């Protein structure tokens, strides 16, 4: 009996520690005052997220690279753009992006979902959707569809349903704020359901808190800060990471700590997709290159609990099959 109480007390202490460290109090994400959340806007944004008309040759939507079944990442090392330019970096998942203060692997200027959308749509390094110099074409294509006209009118009544890139970006950003993933076994464990994680996974969590949570911190397992995990002596790669933006050589090879949510379905890993498995990704951290295999396995059991099956299957986030009361 005494032992049982001690074990229970131990679990309570661990749970309390996690709840405090992981910040179960994530609350609502910040929403810009000029783009309030509205159901009709989210529905429009969802349709646009899946619409290949946002790419130059009609072949590529946001969802081509950000697939729900992969936690809105994809299964490739990197994904080529609409014109077959090779991708430079691994596609990150989009779970809980609404809470991220800095977006993308290594560009601290990307602080808003609305603004980040210009990178895939208009960006040239690499070309993704290829719409640079074709901004007006986006409006022309969407205006041809009477259902879009109706959806923009409902989503932006104050702007009389204005169809242009700015409103496209606002609607997509509103949809992205609904990509909320907080029902993994780990979340349920943090909310007090001890059985949601196996004893091995709980042991993994303890190692994780000791060795990993300084960077993979908080409810989304990222401190949103930039670190170099590669050994100092590796030859310089073509991707200098943060240094490309900051111009500071000491930032070479630094990348934003990725969120580990839905890790079970977001392989391959790291900014260049060079790690095929979770253990490869762990061993790519110079600090853990010599980590014990048994610890990797134990950590792996914990990391499997970060995958949220309900998020991967949530119909409200999937390709819509209806709009304006009609099948699409
Ligand atoms: C060709 C593939 C591709 C397409 C198409 C694409 N993305 Fe991405 N997305 C990426 C890659 C690669 C990154 C990481 C880029 C980097 O860090 O340099 C990324 C990063 C992001 C991020 C930042 C996530 C984070 O963790 O900070 C968001 C948000 C995002 N994309 C949304 C979108 C939206 C919205 C669209 C459609 C308008 C879109 N993407 C289209 C490949 C793509
Ligand atoms: C010093 C900060 C730091 C610590 C400590 C740290 N990480 Fe990381 N981790 C990062 C960064 C930064 C990346 C991305 C590096 C890159 O892409 O080149 C990363 C990437 C990863 C990835 C790949 C995720 C993905 O989606 O690509 C996994 C898995 C991971 N870390 C697990 C761990 C584990 C497990 C530990 C503890 C044993 C740990 N990390 C400790 C900063 C850290």
């Amino acid at each position: 009996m005494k032992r049982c109480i001690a074990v229970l007390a131990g679990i309570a202490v661990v749970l309390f520690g996690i709840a405090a460290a992981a910040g179960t109090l994530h609350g609502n994400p910040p929403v810009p005052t000029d783009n309030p959340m509205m159901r009709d806007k989210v529905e429009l944004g969802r349709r646009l997220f899946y619409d290949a008309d946002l790419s130059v040759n009609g072949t590529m939507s946001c969802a081509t690279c950000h697939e729900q079944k992969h936690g809105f990442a994809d299964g490739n090392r990197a994904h080529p753009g609409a014109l077959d330019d090779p991708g430079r970096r691994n596609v990150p998942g989009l779970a809980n992006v609404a809470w991220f203060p800095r977006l993308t692997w290594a560009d601290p200027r990307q602080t808003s979902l609305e603004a980040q959308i210009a990178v895939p749509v208009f960006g040239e390094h690499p070309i993704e959707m290829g719409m640079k110099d074709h901004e007006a074409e986006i409006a022309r294509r969407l205006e041809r569809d009477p259902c879009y006209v109706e959806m923009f009118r409902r989503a932006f009544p104050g702007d009389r349903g204005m169809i242009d890139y700015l409103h496209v970006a606002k609607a997509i950003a509103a949809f992205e704020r609904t990509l909320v993933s907080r029902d993994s076994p780990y979340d349920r464990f943090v909310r007090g359901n001890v059985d949601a994680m196996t004893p091995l996974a709980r042991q993994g969590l303890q190692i994780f808190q000791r060795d990993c949570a300084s960077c993979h911190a908080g409810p989304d397992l990222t401190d949103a800060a930039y670190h170099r995990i590669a050994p100092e002596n590796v030859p310089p790669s073509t991707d200098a990471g943060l240094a490309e933006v900051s111009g500071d050589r000491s930032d070479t090879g630094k990348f934003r700590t990725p969120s580990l949510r839905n890790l079970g379905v977001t392989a391959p890993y790291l900014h260049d997709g060079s790690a095929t498995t979770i253990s490869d990704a762990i061993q790519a951290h110079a600090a853990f290159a010599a980590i014990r295999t048994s610890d990797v396995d134990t950590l792996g059991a914990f990391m499997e609990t970060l995958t949220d099956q309900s998020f991967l299957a949530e119909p409200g986030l999937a390709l819509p099959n209806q709009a304006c009361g009609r099948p699409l």
Side-chain angles (χ1 to χ4, degrees), residues 73 90-93 105 204 207-216 221 223 225-230 253-263 266-275 277-285 287-288 291 295-296 299-300 302-303:
N90 184 247
V91 183
W105 283 103
I207 303 178
F208 187 83
Q209 289 198 298
R210 187 191 68 203
D211 292 346
C212 320
S214 55
C215 298
H216 295 285
L221 307 114
D223 57 359
Y226 304 88
H227 305 276
R228 181 186 167 100
I229 61 159
K254 285 191 186 169
F255 294 92
R256 188 197 61 185
T257 310
S259 162
L260 302 179
R261 285 199 171 265
N262 301 303
L263 205 61
T266 62
Y269 307 106
L270 303 179
H271 69 277
D272 54 0
S274 59
T277 63
I278 294 178
S279 32
D280 292 344
I282 298 175
Q283 280 157 334
H285 297 59
F288 304 110
I291 189 173
D295 282 352
V296 172
L299 276 166
F302 162 61
M303 291 203 247

Side-chain angles (χ1 to χ4, degrees), residues 213-255:
S214 55
C215 298
H216 295 285
D220 292 314
L221 307 114
T222 169
D223 57 359
Y226 304 88
H227 305 276
R228 181 186 167 100
I229 61 159
E232 288 307 326
N233 56 359
V234 292
S237 105
T238 50
D239 191 338
L242 182 61
E244 284 183 5
V245 174
S246 71
D248 181 343
R249 276 185 52 187
S250 68
D251 288 336
T252 305
K254 285 191 186 169
F255 294 92

Side-chain angles (χ1 to χ4, degrees), residues 87-327:
R88 260 192 97 205
R89 288 181 180 154
N90 184 247
V91 183
L94 301 182
N96 305 335
V97 272
W99 280 269
F100 292 3
R102 280 169 293 281
L103 300 166
T104 75
W105 283 103
D107 187 350
R109 298 167 303 187
Q110 300 294 342
T111 56
S112 121
L113 286 171
E114 281 80 357
Q116 191 276 333
I117 292 163
V119 179
V121 175
F122 300 122
E124 295 189 288
H125 306 288
I127 294 178
E128 292 183 315
M129 300 168 91
M131 289 304 260
K132 181 156 191 278
D133 303 327
H134 298 281
E135 186 173 327
E137 176 65 17
I138 297 177
R140 269 198 297 277
R141 287 182 190 172
L142 300 176
E143 274 162 5
R144 280 202 290 262
D145 178 341
C147 173
Y148 262 131
V149 173
E150 190 181 324
M151 291 180 91
F152 274 86
R153 222 182 271 137
R154 281 198 229 135
F156 298 105
D159 298 343
R160 293 203 214 104
M162 177 75 161
I163 301 186
D164 61 6
Y165 170 72
L166 186 80
H167 290 83
V168 166
K170 283 187 169 182
I172 294 179
F175 170 67
E176 289 181 291
R177 293 194 174 92
T178 68
L179 300 175
V180 178
S181 175
R182 305 240 180 249
D183 200 28
S184 64
Y186 167 67
D187 293 299
R188 278 182 252 138
F189 177 80
V190 171
R191 286 198 290 267
N193 178 359
V194 177
D195 294 332
M197 278 173 42
T198 63
L200 187 68
R202 277 181 243 153
Q203 227 178 304
L205 173 56
Q206 287 187 338
I207 303 178
F208 187 83
Q209 289 198 298
R210 187 191 68 203
D211 292 346
C212 320
S214 55
C215 298
H216 295 285
D220 292 314
L221 307 114
T222 169
D223 57 359
Y226 304 88
H227 305 276
R228 181 186 167 100
I229 61 159
E232 288 307 326
N233 56 359
V234 292
S237 105
T238 50
D239 191 338
L242 182 61
E244 284 183 5
V245 174
S246 71
D248 181 343
R249 276 185 52 187
S250 68
D251 288 336
T252 305
K254 285 191 186 169
F255 294 92
R256 188 197 61 185
T257 310
S259 162
L260 302 179
R261 285 199 171 265
N262 301 303
L263 205 61
V265 295
T266 62
Y269 307 106
L270 303 179
H271 69 277
D272 54 0
S274 59
T276 317
T277 63
I278 294 178
S279 32
D280 292 344
I282 298 175
Q283 280 157 334
H285 297 59
F288 304 110
I291 189 173
R292 290 204 314 238
T293 322
S294 60
D295 282 352
V296 172
D297 293 344
T298 311
L299 276 166
F302 162 61
M303 291 203 247
E304 290 296 332
T305 71
L306 296 171
T307 302
D308 175 353
Q309 294 300 338
S310 61
F311 177 68
L312 307 180
E314 167 53 46
L317 305 177
L319 174 71
N321 52 15
Q322 289 249 321
C324 307
R326 297 195 299 273

